[in-house]
Amino acid sequence: MEKVTLNVQGMSCEHCVKAVKGSVGELSGVKNVDVHLAEGKVDVEFDPNKVTLDKVKEAIEDQGYEVA
């Protein structure tokens, strides 16, 4: 398993948290997603053999947020 912390811009409310957790969490290979709204950070634990970091970033960006 690999763990990364992504800086995500544009999240401002609980709906944002749910959108990010939902979109990333449904990816095959993602074990855990923690969204830290106040810090603008998302911790993701995933299996790099099943899903790439680019796919994780893409899932967040598809919800309308920017991964820095």
Side-chain angles (χ1 to χ4, degrees):
M1 284 293 178
E2 190 172 318
K3 291 182 182 179
V4 295
T5 299
L6 302 171
N7 292 312
V8 180
Q9 298 173 343
M11 299 185 301
S12 60
C13 63
E14 278 302 310
H15 171 76
C16 302
V17 172
K18 288 180 183 174
V20 170
K21 279 188 105 166
S23 63
V24 175
E26 70 186 18
L27 292 173
S28 177
V30 172
K31 182 180 178 191
N32 191 39
V33 182
D34 287 317
V35 178
H36 308 282
L37 188 60
E39 295 89 16
K41 296 192 183 295
V42 178
D43 297 330
V44 184
E45 185 176 359
F46 65 99
D47 182 344
N49 296 317
K50 293 185 178 176
V51 66
T52 64
L53 183 55
D54 284 342
K55 284 284 184 194
V56 172
K57 290 178 179 178
E58 187 179 302
I60 295 170
E61 290 170 348
D62 284 350
Q63 295 300 313
Y65 308 107
E66 186 178 333
V67 179

